[in-house]
Amino acid sequence: MTKQAQPQAHGQPEDDRLTIADRTFSSRLFVGTGKYPSFETMVKAIQASGTEMVTVAVRYMNLDNPGAESVLDYLAPLQCHLLPNTAGATTVKQAVRMAHLAREATGTNWIKLEVIGDDRTLWPDTAQTVEATRVLVEEGFVVLPYTSPDLVAAIRLEEAGAAAVMPLAAPIGTGQGLLDWVGIRRIVERVSVPVVVDAGLGVPSDAAKAMEMGVDAVLINTAIALAQDPPKMAAAMKYGVVAGRQAYLAGRMPVRDEASPSSPAAGVIRETAAAGS
Amino acid sequence: MTKQAQPQAHGQPEDDRLTIADRTFSSRLFVGTGKYPSFETMVKAIQASGTEMVTVAVRYMNLDNPGAESVLDYLAPLQCHLLPNTAGATTVKQAVRMAHLAREATGTNWIKLEVIGDDRTLWPDTAQTVEATRVLVEEGFVVLPYTSPDLVAAIRLEEAGAAAVMPLAAPIGTGQGLLDWVGIRRIVERVSVPVVVDAGLGVPSDAAKAMEMGVDAVLINTAIALAQDPPKMAAAMKYGVVAGRQAYLAGRMPVRDEASPSSPAAGVIRETAAAGS
Amino acid sequence: MTKQAQPQAHGQPEDDRLTIADRTFSSRLFVGTGKYPSFETMVKAIQASGTEMVTVAVRYMNLDNPGAESVLDYLAPLQCHLLPNTAGATTVKQAVRMAHLAREATGTNWIKLEVIGDDRTLWPDTAQTVEATRVLVEEGFVVLPYTSPDLVAAIRLEEAGAAAVMPLAAPIGTGQGLLDWVGIRRIVERVSVPVVVDAGLGVPSDAAKAMEMGVDAVLINTAIALAQDPPKMAAAMKYGVVAGRQAYLAGRMPVRDEASPSSPAAGVIRETAAAGS
Amino acid sequence: MTKQAQPQAHGQPEDDRLTIADRTFSSRLFVGTGKYPSFETMVKAIQASGTEMVTVAVRYMNLDNPGAESVLDYLAPLQCHLLPNTAGATTVKQAVRMAHLAREATGTNWIKLEVIGDDRTLWPDTAQTVEATRVLVEEGFVVLPYTSPDLVAAIRLEEAGAAAVMPLAAPIGTGQGLLDWVGIRRIVERVSVPVVVDAGLGVPSDAAKAMEMGVDAVLINTAIALAQDPPKMAAAMKYGVVAGRQAYLAGRMPVRDEASPSSPAAGVIRETAAAGS
Amino acid sequence: MRVTVNGEPQDIEPGTTIRAFLEARDIDIRRVAVALNDHIVPRERLGDTRLADGDVLEIIRVVAGG
Amino acid sequence: MRVTVNGEPQDIEPGTTIRAFLEARDIDIRRVAVALNDHIVPRERLGDTRLADGDVLEIIRVVAGG
Amino acid sequence: MRVTVNGEPQDIEPGTTIRAFLEARDIDIRRVAVALNDHIVPRERLGDTRLADGDVLEIIRVVAGG
Amino acid sequence: MRVTVNGEPQDIEPGTTIRAFLEARDIDIRRVAVALNDHIVPRERLGDTRLADGDVLEIIRVVAGG
């Protein structure tokens, strides 16, 4: 039931796949599609990220402009899995309904479940998220719930059948990084489904740090979309995730209290020959 | 004289070379050669790191075993630049003497200057390091001094002719990461020669964070050599450095206080059709 | 509904009372009675702390030793309010039952509600805690629930009628300090009942930092009981709480990016008289 | 030569005096006199702080307004020691000259030595500060040098005869708190003269944290003078310093990785009587 | 005949199927999900589901989101 | 006659009141809470509540805790 | 006769002592330090030190500072 | 004849060159730096520099280090 925080180094990276439910991923970076300056930039960023799964939302169509370009037109050639979300839901009922409609609209039974409990911070309502997970799992969905770094909420989500748990690093869209990284690490140590850090990461070092703790994947949107150069930042995030994952597999050196030289202590050259012996 | 903390995104990575004195580097990761379990592992790690410059030390030969394998036999095929150090020196005179001998033994006039002021912490004596820099620069050396995160010491080193300044992240060999990252950032903002973070980094997220702040390169030894799988950790560090550098070039999103959704606020699907209008 | 993070400085400390439900406190430090080396030391520590409310637990009496000294014999002379807890409960039913028995045994309808969701970390089960709060409030209890730093859980507890919310700083008994202080601050900003930080504080600076953020009180047990000198540490905690509270009321200086001298910039004395303008 | 980071708890607070050179202090808080909204507020703040030593600067008199009120008129009744500083000096010569003039103007041979190496950050030039310390100590001054958190600089200052060393917490006037607290702690562990943290503290929890690490005293100016209510903040700082000092003497609990309950594990009340045995 | 579509009243011809309604507005039915009076109408049933007076129709599309 | 007290079986005389049971063991009734068969017995009722065979009695005290 | 005081030129009567110079300006000599041509003049010597043409005088006071 | 090499006394034949001294010990001269009485002897001069009694010789090699 418990994962190792520091595994023995093993295998080659090419063998290091992530499996969630019935899908297997080579890339441990998932990417959101919101907030890009243009669909063209979004496509370049997704390509640069190397991701194999992107999130999308579902919304009422604006009937005044039914022919508006669809994000799907841009995503289709990219061969990524779609992960529709329930963003905007604040109740179990609303989230479940959005999941049904998302499944119908996208053809996938995967759902990124969000049930927001506070509008200002977009903090999840974990109790309702657990309940919605239970309902949707029963209906055959593969549920990836967005949650807080609260340990027991993550355990309850796993018990409810979540295919992964997705604790936030910081409030959505803030880029503040891993505020409660101890909380995330606690979840990694105690939950056996994959842990995907979702929301709040700002820079690749945040992503790398999460992966070094044994997080299985990260989901990033704003930090790429609102970078000055989104495709370059997408590449940076790709490398950050790979770096952190490889470090986790490589097994980091233990942190030491005391300094220790990198060059030999013996045979140090004297100030003068005369000082010899 | 002053560098930008957040440059406009520019150029392609392939154009993003680092120049120190007369050498130009594609890789911004320098690697130490100490403490590996074997020379074979060291070679694999150096190769995996993609580095173009490695440090070495100079020591009295053990005459009881003059035929002992030389690290140079292993390094020669790798086509890396050598950066000999003055590790072990505690006075200007000793450091200068070690630099002379290192130049003679290696054929390079580059020197990683260390003058240690405290044996237990291996903390640099910045005043003596400034003095030794002055002497060695006058003698034609390309001097890369190891220093503390003290801003004025870094400024004085630049004034003394250092080709780069190399503030420590944490005491040598501890892997504690960027203890005084604000101090490092202060140096990056005020010094015009390249800044190379040397010593104390533990994981790729440390390296990435340093690079994101505008550090020009990092030098890593113990964190690779004492990882459970040094070559894999070397690759992880490579990716971490690239991630941080790319992020710096890409221009990170501004950190925000308030949450902001990644999916549209308009058109959110209602709980029930009846709730309509 | 929302409290100010930085109020206008106001009033004298003697006017700065804390009211929870029907009780008013001059001291903003609550103290636990567990883990002391002896009851005598506990009494001295409680006196040194200046607290006006201490927690106690309820347990089955050991019938093999029914005459064992009671903690109440030691507490009675101290004139502190008692705050019995439900420590050990893992379900709503068990917690409610413990509350009933605690009320009968102590004569107070105040209860520190704990419903643990994970035995190893003693992390609260916030969903069950909300449910138990609802039940106990309906029955006329004054409920002070122990919770995680999860914002929405705190909001739900307030909605359920909690007289205060008591988010943890770190796992019980660890002394790790304010791990997720941003989470605590978020609760302070959004909840209108008093916020009492409970569990995990280790030193007075932790307590002061919490109070500076606008937390209304702190509850400390292990950090006092397991200090080398518990009464002295109790006094230290008292001062830390007062310091943080006074600072909150005094209104801290804004943090500045740039240095600014404390002595006048004009009229600086020259190196030599000859240098004169 | 080395102090204990965690002493055995000892003595009563009234015995816990701080001795620097020939003066003994009951209060471990020193206060600067700059930047107050008025001299009246300054006086109230100094009184509220309980300090026994305040800093002052020396400047050319403005001959257009020679009768301007003197800070000394306000300080005289307070019976505090004066600690004149060399604020504004950027060279050894200038600092030494200011020390001479300060001694003449104030009648004390105590001097807070500042030699600034960078105007923008007001970062000390530690090499010149060491040199100026040597000169002034030789001339009979009691020298308290402002320095950076650089360990070897602190050791060199002690060797030069400094009566105390005063590392900065953060740049002067910023209120950023203990940026490099590990650096400060390193100095505390290795230097035998008193360590006074000077500059950059913002709130009492900063002061308490410094004292908990074994720092001997703190010097605060801007954080009091620019608070919304300076006298109240001065009192808060007083309590913060006392809290941190008492905690240091009391001996903190060890930080633990694992949670541990504060209430007994045995005898927990069951959910129902029927569940018994 | 009046129906409510995405919260807005619309007048349509009696007997109109959902598919006809959508196609008349150039809406690609492969890209939407449709709910009628709170129940999802599978894509293959859009052509034989007729709207009635007072019906509440919801047309959902996929949009960019995080 | 056998009852269960705090999970342990105890043989007692028929007709014993809870108060008598407690006082026989030097238990100060002002310092405990008592439940009989899952229901709390108020302190003032302890003297007129008699134990019956098979009863489950719980005696709770206050202890130090955090 | 011209001297420089705190960097500014001043015309004064020949033979003026520093003390007289200060008192003429209501400067309390117990609160200042004085340097003449780069050398500090002790307070008790101010009364018998006369200014000469071209002298550089510095008058320093204590101010609030951190 | 006695010289000091890397701090240790060694007896050698009078007239020995540094190069001969090194080669006799299988030391690859392209991989070392040599100082004689505190002065570095360039590699190309090792063959014509003869050791004298009381000389202090230092032989330095490159080692792994950080």
Side-chain angles (χ1 to χ4, degrees):
Chain A
M1 278 299 180
T2 298
K3 281 175 296 182
Q4 287 293 109
Q6 281 297 350
Q8 286 300 102
H10 64 69
Q12 298 305 326
E14 54 268 32
D15 299 339
D16 178 46
R17 299 274 167 71
L18 167 64
T19 299
I20 301 177
D22 55 318
R23 289 184 191 161
T24 297
F25 300 90
S26 296
S27 165
R28 288 165 181 275
L29 172 59
F30 305 139
V31 173
T33 58
K35 297 181 172 177
Y36 286 88
S38 69
F39 282 145
E40 287 75 14
T41 301
M42 177 195 78
V43 166
K44 281 184 198 152
I46 291 171
Q47 289 174 320
S49 75
T51 190
E52 294 161 356
M53 184 160 71
V54 296
T55 61
V56 290
V58 285
R59 288 289 181 271
Y60 285 126
M61 177 172 275
N62 178 357
L63 292 179
D64 299 336
N65 187 16
E69 275 192 324
S70 169
V71 68
L72 294 178
D73 297 327
Y74 288 86
L75 295 177
L78 299 179
Q79 304 278 12
C80 288
H81 292 290
L82 289 186
L83 178 62
N85 67 31
T86 66
T90 60
T91 65
V92 173
K93 190 170 175 186
Q94 193 180 12
V96 167
R97 193 154 188 262
M98 286 171 82
H100 292 167
L101 289 162
R103 179 170 57 182
E104 183 66 19
T106 62
T108 176
N109 66 337
W110 282 49
I111 191 79
K112 178 187 167 192
L113 176 64
E114 294 185 31
V115 187
I116 297 302
D118 177 66
D119 273 355
R120 202 164 90 196
T121 58
L122 301 175
W123 204 260
D125 183 319
T126 61
Q128 291 202 80
T129 305
V130 170
E131 179 57 23
T133 297
R134 203 172 284 128
V135 170
L136 290 168
V137 167
E138 189 124 322
E139 294 178 357
F141 280 88
V142 173
V143 182
L144 291 81
Y146 162 69
T147 186
S148 84
D150 185 282
L151 172 62
V152 172
I155 292 173
R156 295 290 175 262
L157 288 168
E158 177 173 20
E159 291 169 353
V165 292
M166 307 216 294
L168 63 89
I172 296 171
T174 61
Q176 296 174 355
L178 284 163
L179 294 182
D180 184 16
W181 62 269
V182 178
I184 304 277
R185 193 180 58 183
R186 215 178 273 130
I187 291 174
V188 168
E189 288 170 355
R190 302 301 302 284
V191 159
S192 54
V193 291
V195 176
V196 182
V197 168
D198 176 20
L201 299 176
V203 277
S205 58
D206 296 335
K209 183 171 177 180
M211 298 303 294
E212 288 160 4
M213 297 191 305
V215 159
D216 295 280
V218 301
L219 196 168
I220 298 176
N221 189 339
T222 310
I224 296 174
L226 296 192
Q228 290 180 37
D229 183 338
K232 194 185 289 284
M233 186 58 86
M237 291 294 185
K238 173 180 71 179
Y239 292 122
V241 170
V242 168
R245 179 65 186 176
Q246 297 265 77
Y248 174 74
L249 296 174
R252 68 159 291 160
M253 66 172 284
V255 174
R256 293 173 164 183
D257 281 345
E258 295 290 328
S260 146
S262 298
S263 300
V268 172
I269 295 159
R270 285 177 283 271
E271 249 193 7
T272 63
S277 167
Chain B
M1 280 297 179
T2 298
K3 282 174 296 183
Q4 285 294 108
Q6 280 296 350
Q8 285 302 101
H10 64 70
Q12 297 306 326
E14 54 267 32
D15 300 339
D16 178 44
R17 300 274 167 71
L18 167 65
T19 299
I20 300 177
D22 55 319
R23 290 184 191 163
T24 297
F25 301 89
S26 295
S27 166
R28 289 166 180 274
L29 172 59
F30 305 139
V31 173
T33 58
K35 296 182 173 176
Y36 286 88
S38 69
F39 282 145
E40 287 75 15
T41 302
M42 177 195 78
V43 166
K44 281 184 199 153
I46 290 171
Q47 289 173 320
S49 75
T51 191
E52 295 161 355
M53 184 160 71
V54 297
T55 60
V56 289
V58 285
R59 288 290 181 269
Y60 285 125
M61 176 171 276
N62 178 357
L63 293 179
D64 298 337
N65 187 16
E69 276 192 323
S70 169
V71 68
L72 294 178
D73 297 328
Y74 288 86
L75 295 177
L78 300 178
Q79 305 277 9
C80 287
H81 292 290
L82 290 186
L83 179 62
N85 68 31
T86 66
T90 60
T91 65
V92 172
K93 189 169 177 188
Q94 194 180 12
V96 168
R97 193 154 189 263
M98 287 171 82
H100 292 167
L101 289 162
R103 179 170 57 182
E104 183 66 18
T106 62
T108 176
N109 65 338
W110 283 50
I111 192 77
K112 179 188 166 192
L113 176 64
E114 293 185 32
V115 187
I116 297 301
D118 178 66
D119 272 355
R120 202 163 91 195
T121 58
L122 301 176
W123 204 261
D125 183 319
T126 61
Q128 291 202 79
T129 305
V130 170
E131 179 55 24
T133 297
R134 202 172 286 128
V135 170
L136 290 168
V137 167
E138 189 123 323
E139 295 179 355
F141 281 88
V142 173
V143 182
L144 291 81
Y146 161 70
T147 186
S148 84
D150 185 282
L151 173 62
V152 172
I155 291 174
R156 296 290 175 261
L157 288 168
E158 177 172 21
E159 292 169 354
V165 293
M166 307 216 294
L168 63 89
I172 296 171
T174 62
Q176 295 174 354
L178 284 163
L179 293 182
D180 183 17
W181 62 269
V182 178
I184 304 277
R185 194 180 56 184
R186 216 178 273 130
I187 291 174
V188 168
E189 288 169 355
R190 301 301 301 286
V191 161
S192 56
V193 291
V195 177
V196 182
V197 168
D198 176 20
L201 299 176
V203 276
S205 59
D206 296 335
K209 184 172 176 179
M211 299 303 295
E212 289 160 4
M213 297 190 306
V215 160
D216 294 280
V218 300
L219 196 169
I220 298 176
N221 188 341
T222 310
I224 295 174
L226 295 192
Q228 290 180 36
D229 183 337
K232 195 186 287 289
M233 186 58 86
M237 290 295 185
K238 173 181 71 180
Y239 292 123
V241 170
V242 169
R245 178 65 186 176
Q246 297 264 75
Y248 174 73
L249 296 174
R252 67 159 293 161
M253 67 172 284
V255 174
R256 292 174 165 182
D257 281 346
E258 294 291 327
S260 146
S262 298
S263 300
V268 173
I269 295 159
R270 284 179 284 270
E271 247 193 7
T272 63
S277 169
Chain C
M1 280 297 179
T2 298
K3 282 174 296 183
Q4 286 293 108
Q6 281 297 351
Q8 285 302 100
H10 63 71
Q12 297 306 326
E14 54 268 32
D15 301 339
D16 178 45
R17 299 275 168 68
L18 167 65
T19 299
I20 301 177
D22 55 319
R23 290 185 190 161
T24 298
F25 300 90
S26 295
S27 165
R28 289 166 180 274
L29 172 59
F30 304 140
V31 173
T33 59
K35 296 182 174 176
Y36 286 89
S38 70
F39 282 144
E40 287 76 14
T41 302
M42 177 195 78
V43 166
K44 283 185 198 150
I46 290 171
Q47 289 174 319
S49 76
T51 189
E52 294 161 355
M53 185 161 70
V54 298
T55 60
V56 290
V58 286
R59 289 289 182 270
Y60 285 126
M61 176 172 276
N62 178 357
L63 293 179
D64 298 337
N65 187 17
E69 277 192 322
S70 169
V71 69
L72 294 178
D73 297 327
Y74 288 86
L75 295 177
L78 300 179
Q79 304 278 11
C80 287
H81 292 290
L82 291 186
L83 179 61
N85 67 31
T86 66
T90 59
T91 65
V92 173
K93 190 170 176 186
Q94 193 180 13
V96 168
R97 194 155 186 263
M98 287 171 82
H100 292 166
L101 290 161
R103 179 170 57 181
E104 183 66 19
T106 63
T108 176
N109 65 337
W110 283 49
I111 192 78
K112 178 187 166 192
L113 176 64
E114 294 185 32
V115 188
I116 298 301
D118 178 65
D119 272 354
R120 204 163 90 195
T121 58
L122 302 176
W123 204 260
D125 183 318
T126 61
Q128 290 202 82
T129 304
V130 170
E131 179 56 22
T133 297
R134 203 171 285 129
V135 171
L136 290 168
V137 167
E138 188 123 325
E139 295 179 356
F141 280 88
V142 173
V143 182
L144 290 82
Y146 162 70
T147 186
S148 84
D150 185 282
L151 173 62
V152 172
I155 292 173
R156 295 291 174 260
L157 288 168
E158 178 173 21
E159 292 169 353
V165 293
M166 307 216 295
L168 63 90
I172 296 171
T174 61
Q176 295 173 355
L178 284 163
L179 293 182
D180 183 17
W181 62 270
V182 178
I184 303 278
R185 195 179 57 183
R186 215 178 273 129
I187 291 173
V188 169
E189 288 169 355
R190 302 300 302 284
V191 160
S192 54
V193 291
V195 176
V196 182
V197 167
D198 177 19
L201 299 176
V203 276
S205 59
D206 297 336
K209 182 171 177 179
M211 298 303 295
E212 289 159 4
M213 298 189 306
V215 160
D216 295 280
V218 301
L219 197 168
I220 298 177
N221 189 340
T222 309
I224 295 173
L226 296 192
Q228 290 179 35
D229 183 337
K232 196 186 287 288
M233 186 58 86
M237 291 295 185
K238 173 181 70 180
Y239 292 124
V241 169
V242 168
R245 178 64 185 177
Q246 297 265 77
Y248 174 73
L249 296 174
R252 68 159 294 161
M253 67 172 284
V255 175
R256 292 173 166 183
D257 281 346
E258 295 290 327
S260 145
S262 297
S263 301
V268 173
I269 295 160
R270 284 179 284 272
E271 250 193 7
T272 64
S277 144
Chain D
M1 281 300 179
T2 298
K3 282 174 296 181
Q4 286 293 107
Q6 280 297 348
Q8 286 301 102
H10 63 70
Q12 297 307 324
E14 54 268 33
D15 300 339
D16 179 44
R17 299 275 167 68
L18 167 64
T19 298
I20 302 177
D22 55 319
R23 290 184 191 161
T24 297
F25 300 90
S26 295
S27 165
R28 289 165 179 275
L29 172 59
F30 305 140
V31 173
T33 58
K35 295 182 174 176
Y36 285 88
S38 70
F39 282 144
E40 287 76 14
T41 302
M42 178 195 77
V43 166
K44 282 184 197 152
I46 290 171
Q47 289 175 320
S49 75
T51 190
E52 295 161 355
M53 185 161 70
V54 297
T55 61
V56 290
V58 285
R59 288 288 181 270
Y60 285 126
M61 177 172 277
N62 178 357
L63 293 179
D64 298 336
N65 186 17
E69 277 193 321
S70 169
V71 68
L72 294 179
D73 296 328
Y74 288 87
L75 295 177
L78 300 179
Q79 304 278 9
C80 287
H81 292 290
L82 289 187
L83 179 62
N85 67 30
T86 66
T90 60
T91 65
V92 173
K93 189 170 176 186
Q94 193 179 13
V96 168
R97 192 154 190 264
M98 287 171 82
H100 292 166
L101 289 162
R103 180 170 56 181
E104 183 66 19
T106 62
T108 176
N109 66 336
W110 282 49
I111 191 77
K112 180 188 166 192
L113 176 64
E114 294 185 31
V115 187
I116 297 301
D118 178 65
D119 272 354
R120 203 163 92 195
T121 58
L122 301 176
W123 204 260
D125 184 317
T126 61
Q128 291 202 79
T129 304
V130 170
E131 179 57 23
T133 297
R134 203 171 285 129
V135 170
L136 290 168
V137 167
E138 189 124 324
E139 295 178 355
F141 280 88
V142 172
V143 182
L144 291 81
Y146 162 70
T147 185
S148 84
D150 186 282
L151 172 63
V152 171
I155 291 173
R156 296 290 175 260
L157 288 168
E158 178 173 20
E159 292 169 353
V165 293
M166 307 215 294
L168 63 90
I172 295 171
T174 61
Q176 295 173 355
L178 285 162
L179 293 182
D180 183 18
W181 62 270
V182 178
I184 304 277
R185 194 179 58 184
R186 216 178 272 130
I187 291 173
V188 168
E189 288 169 355
R190 301 302 300 286
V191 161
S192 55
V193 292
V195 176
V196 182
V197 168
D198 176 19
L201 299 176
V203 275
S205 59
D206 297 336
K209 183 172 177 180
M211 298 303 295
E212 289 159 4
M213 296 190 308
V215 160
D216 294 281
V218 301
L219 197 169
I220 299 177
N221 189 341
T222 310
I224 295 173
L226 296 192
Q228 290 180 36
D229 183 338
K232 196 187 286 288
M233 186 57 86
M237 290 296 185
K238 173 181 70 179
Y239 292 123
V241 169
V242 169
R245 179 64 186 177
Q246 297 265 77
Y248 174 74
L249 295 174
R252 67 160 294 160
M253 67 172 284
V255 174
R256 292 173 165 183
D257 281 346
E258 295 290 327
S260 145
S262 298
S263 301
V268 172
I269 295 160
R270 285 178 283 271
E271 249 193 7
T272 65
S277 166
Chain E
M1 188 181 98
R2 170 161 285 199
V3 297
T4 301
V5 185
N6 288 358
E8 301 293 327
Q10 299 248 352
D11 291 313
I12 59 167
E13 290 300 304
T16 307
T17 65
I18 297 175
R19 179 169 188 155
F21 176 88
L22 295 172
E23 290 180 349
R25 282 157 185 81
D26 278 334
I27 296 172
D28 181 346
I29 64 165
R30 292 164 312 171
R31 288 281 169 80
V32 295
V34 175
L36 180 61
N37 301 327
D38 229 352
H39 294 283
I40 291 176
V41 183
R43 194 165 287 120
E44 60 276 15
R45 302 291 307 279
L46 296 173
D48 52 3
T49 304
R50 291 179 194 278
L51 294 167
D53 192 48
D55 272 354
V56 179
L57 188 67
E58 293 172 287
I59 306 165
I60 275 77
R61 69 193 302 244
V62 172
V63 300
Chain F
M1 188 180 100
R2 171 161 285 198
V3 297
T4 302
V5 185
N6 287 359
E8 302 293 326
Q10 300 249 351
D11 290 313
I12 61 167
E13 290 298 304
T16 308
T17 65
I18 298 176
R19 180 167 184 157
F21 176 89
L22 295 173
E23 290 180 349
R25 282 158 186 79
D26 279 334
I27 297 173
D28 181 346
I29 64 166
R30 293 163 311 172
R31 288 281 169 79
V32 296
V34 175
L36 179 62
N37 301 327
D38 230 353
H39 294 284
I40 290 177
V41 183
R43 195 166 285 123
E44 60 275 15
R45 302 291 308 279
L46 297 173
D48 53 3
T49 305
R50 292 178 194 281
L51 294 167
D53 192 50
D55 271 355
V56 178
L57 188 68
E58 293 172 287
I59 306 165
I60 275 78
R61 68 193 302 244
V62 172
V63 299
Chain G
M1 187 182 101
R2 170 160 285 199
V3 296
T4 301
V5 185
N6 287 358
E8 302 293 327
Q10 299 248 351
D11 291 314
I12 60 169
E13 289 300 303
T16 308
T17 65
I18 298 176
R19 181 169 184 153
F21 176 88
L22 295 173
E23 289 179 350
R25 282 158 186 79
D26 279 335
I27 296 173
D28 181 347
I29 64 164
R30 293 164 311 171
R31 287 283 168 78
V32 295
V34 175
L36 179 62
N37 300 328
D38 229 353
H39 294 284
I40 291 177
V41 183
R43 195 165 288 121
E44 59 277 16
R45 302 290 307 280
L46 296 174
D48 51 3
T49 304
R50 292 181 194 279
L51 294 167
D53 191 49
D55 271 355
V56 178
L57 188 67
E58 294 172 286
I59 306 165
I60 275 76
R61 68 194 301 245
V62 172
V63 299
Chain H
M1 189 180 98
R2 171 161 284 199
V3 297
T4 301
V5 185
N6 288 357
E8 302 292 327
Q10 298 249 352
D11 291 313
I12 60 167
E13 291 297 304
T16 308
T17 66
I18 298 176
R19 179 167 187 156
F21 177 88
L22 296 173
E23 289 180 350
R25 282 157 185 79
D26 278 335
I27 297 172
D28 181 346
I29 64 164
R30 293 163 310 172
R31 288 281 168 80
V32 295
V34 175
L36 180 61
N37 300 327
D38 230 353
H39 295 283
I40 291 177
V41 183
R43 193 166 288 121
E44 58 277 16
R45 302 291 306 281
L46 297 174
D48 50 6
T49 305
R50 290 179 197 280
L51 293 168
D53 191 49
D55 272 354
V56 178
L57 188 67
E58 294 172 287
I59 306 164
I60 276 76
R61 69 195 301 247
V62 172
V63 299

